[in-house]
Amino acid sequence: MVGERKAPRCSREGDLFVLDLGDGENRLNAEWVEAVEAALDEAVAAPAPRALVTVASGKFWSNGLDLEWMAANAAEVEGFVARLNALFASFLASGVPTVAAVQGHCFAAGAMFALAHDQIVMREDRGFFCLPEIDIRIPFTPGMTALIRARLAPAVAHEAMTTGRRYGGGEAATAAIVAAAVPEERVREEADERARARAGSDPATLAAIKERLYAEALATLRGPQV
């Protein structure tokens, strides 16, 4: 229910900013975007060494767009989608190293948010990475398409986007969707280790590299979503 939704929260643990999406379905709405924007801005403003790890707990890492919120706020949807795509661009091009610690299901726009991170660490035995838009009849925006194409091998992007395949952790690692698939108790530890290893990266250099590496996808994410 709407009243039970919780916005993501950010805290700092040494060199790591920890963005906690929550313990529910962690669906994306306007409040969610605002909270995540603020978390990234806080990390960007801090001097190196620093990195950001995005975590959740329970069955889901994120179950995608908050369709209930969108139905109740139809007049805001166009602006929200543009802002969400801009947020994906901010993560993709950030001078802050980012790692998604995926302990549960990672679906739809939630999966795209994970792909906007530098690395994904996923639980190996339970939970799926899935882009189910073909089955729920919601076409990808141009920006979302560009993000997925930029982060996945062409054949993997085609399969994931056109079939809605559910990838378990091991399958996702084999397809290079995620950087590592590990036991549940190791997900956060592995993500933290990877983030700390890059926390000292020069922010300006990292941002410049990513802006040029993902120039086409970033231009599309930042442009009109029609």
Side-chain angles (χ1 to χ4, degrees), residues 19-36:
L19 174 60
D20 188 349
L21 301 182
D23 58 2
E25 291 194 20
N26 306 327
R27 288 184 176 269
L28 288 58
N29 54 35
E31 183 182 14
W32 186 98
V33 169
E34 184 175 357
V36 175

Side-chain angles (χ1 to χ4, degrees), residues 1-160:
M1 300 297 292
V2 173
E4 297 174 339
R5 295 188 179 100
K6 297 178 182 178
R9 295 191 297 177
C10 188
S11 59
R12 186 160 191 180
E13 299 177 9
D15 292 344
L16 299 184
F17 286 87
V18 180
L19 174 60
D20 188 349
L21 301 182
D23 58 2
E25 291 194 20
N26 306 327
R27 288 184 176 269
L28 288 58
N29 54 35
E31 183 182 14
W32 186 98
V33 169
E34 184 175 357
V36 175
E37 286 174 338
L40 182 61
D41 288 346
E42 183 181 359
V44 168
R50 80 280 192 267
L52 185 147
V53 176
T54 305
V55 307
S57 55
K59 183 177 180 180
F60 298 94
W61 190 79
S62 174
N63 206 20
L65 292 174
D66 188 342
L67 300 178
E68 181 182 348
W69 177 89
M70 294 173 73
N73 298 272
E76 300 180 40
V77 168
E78 184 176 351
F80 162 70
V81 171
R83 191 172 177 183
L84 179 61
N85 277 267
L87 176 63
F88 291 163
S90 294
F91 266 78
L92 189 64
S94 177
V96 177
T98 56
V99 182
V102 178
Q103 89 301 334
H105 294 312
C106 186
F107 272 56
M112 298 173 220
F113 177 52
L115 288 175
H117 290 67
D118 293 330
Q119 298 183 61
I120 304 172
V121 176
M122 186 172 175
R123 180 176 172 176
E124 66 182 2
D125 61 324
R126 294 186 67 183
F128 294 105
F129 176 100
C130 180
L131 299 171
E133 278 70 10
I134 184 65
D135 296 320
I136 59 178
R137 301 182 180 184
I138 300 179
F140 299 91
T141 67
M144 291 172 177
T145 300
L147 169 64
I148 297 164
R149 290 183 60 199
R151 296 292 284 143
L152 300 182
V156 175
H158 178 88
E159 179 179 53

Side-chain angles (χ1 to χ4, degrees), residues 172-188:
T174 298
I177 296 171
V178 305
V182 299
E184 177 185 12
E185 65 273 12
R186 279 278 300 156
V187 172
R188 175 65 191 278

Side-chain angles (χ1 to χ4, degrees), residues 208-219:
I209 288 171
K210 291 163 75 174
E211 282 282 350
R212 295 166 187 171
L213 178 63
Y214 297 118
E216 182 178 350
L218 290 168

